[in-house]
Amino acid sequence: MQNNATASRYRWIILLLCVSCFLFSFITRFTWPPLISVIVPDLGMNMGQAGAFMSAFYLGYVLTQIPAGLLADRFGVRIILSVCLIIEGVATSSFSLIDNYELGFNLRVLAGLGSGAVFSSCSRALVEWFPAKEQGLAFGILTAAPSSGILITNILVPYLNTMFGWRGAFQSVGLLTIIAGVLVFFLMRFKDQPDEKSENITAGLKYILDNKNFKLISAAGFFLMWLQLGTATWANVYIKGLGFSVSEAGRVMAYYGLGGAIAPLISGVVSDMLGCRKWLVITAFILVVPLTILFGYQTSLAMLCVVGFASGFSSYLANPQLTVLISQTAGIKRAATANGVANCLFQMASLLSPWFIGKVIDLTGNFSFVWWILAAGPVMATFFMLRVYEESIQGIKKSGVALETDCSLKR
C-alpha cells in the first residue's frame, strides 16, 4: 500500500493511463467508418456488410465485458489492460492484410475482444484512486475519450489514408495501440492490493442484477448507445453522399467529436458541484433528439459542422453521469463488475444499430429514415431515466458505498 501523499499525486497518472487506454479503444474501432467509402468498393462489399464490421467489433467487445469486470475486481487491472490492448493492436494491424469480408469480420471481432476489458478496468481504477467528490471530474475526463476518438480518427485517418493508403492507416493505428499496452504494463499501479478472496462472484452479480436502478440506468445507456454508434458509423457515409470528400466528411465528424469531447468535461464538473446527476442525464437526452433530426436535413458543409458540433455535445453530455451512477450504485468492490455488466448491456445497441441502419440504407437507398430511427434512442432512454430514484447520502453509506454528494441512488 502506498502512502497517502504518493497516492494522491499518482492518481493523475492513473487517470492519464486510463484515458489513453479508453482513447485507443475508440480510435481502433472508429478507424473503420471514415474508410468505408474507400474500402467497400475496393473489396466489393455492400453497406450491410460495412455496418456488420462495426457490429463485429462490438460482438467481441460485449463478450469480454462481464468476465473482464469480474477479473479486474478480483485481481486488479494492470495485466488485464495491457494484454487486452496488445491483442486489440495486433488485430487492428492485421486488418490491413484482409482481402475478403470473412477475414475482416473475424479480425474486427478479435479487436473487440481486446477492447472489451478497457472500460470496466478503467472504471475500477478511477473509483479506487479518486474520492467521490472528484469522481464526476475523473469520469468526465475518461468519458471524453469516445468522442475524442471520433475527433482524432476523423483528422488522423484521412491523413493516413492519403499518405499510406487504408492498409497503412490500420497498421499505424494498431502499432500505436500496442505501444499503449506496453506503457500500461510498466506504469499502472494498485492503490490497494486487490483481494483475491473477496465476495463470491455469483453473489456480486446477483446484487447488481437485482438492483432496480442499475437495470433502469443500463436500459437508458442502451438507447443512448443506439444513437451514438449509429451516428459514428454512418454519418461519414451520409456526408460523402451529399457530394463532399472523405476529408470534408472527416472535418464534420471532427466537429462532432470535439463537441462530444467537451461535453463530458463540463458535465463532470457540474455534477460534482450539484451532487445530483439524474436530471443532467435527462436534459442531455431531451437536447439530442431534435439535433439528431436536424443534422439529417443539412446539406451545406458549414451547417453540418455547426449542427454536428451541437449534436456531439448533447450526445455525450450524459456519459460520465451514467458511469458514476453505475459505480456508486455498486460500490468500490463491485465497480468493475457493475460497469462490465452495464457496458455489456449498453453495447448490445452497438451490435444492433450499425447493422440495422446499414440494412435500412440498403432497403431504401437513402438516409431519409435513418436520423429519425436514431433519434428514437434517446426518447426511450428518457423514459427509463425518469424512473430512476434518488435519495439522501445516509441510505447509501449504510450499504457501504462511499459518497460525498447530497444526492445518490435509491436501492
Side-chain angles (χ1 to χ4, degrees), residues 220 277-286 318 321-322 325 385:
R277 307 178 191 275
K278 169 182 172 179
W279 290 104
L280 277 174
V281 173
I282 292 173
T283 299
F285 292 161
I286 293 172
Q321 311 313 323
L322 293 174
L325 289 173
M385 280 305 299

Side-chain angles (χ1 to χ4, degrees), residues 62 209 214-215 218-219 221-222 340-349:
V62 166
L209 294 174
F214 174 86
K215 289 182 281 191
S218 297
F222 171 92
V341 175
N343 208 32
C344 178
L345 298 174
F346 291 179
Q347 302 304 334
M348 293 296 181

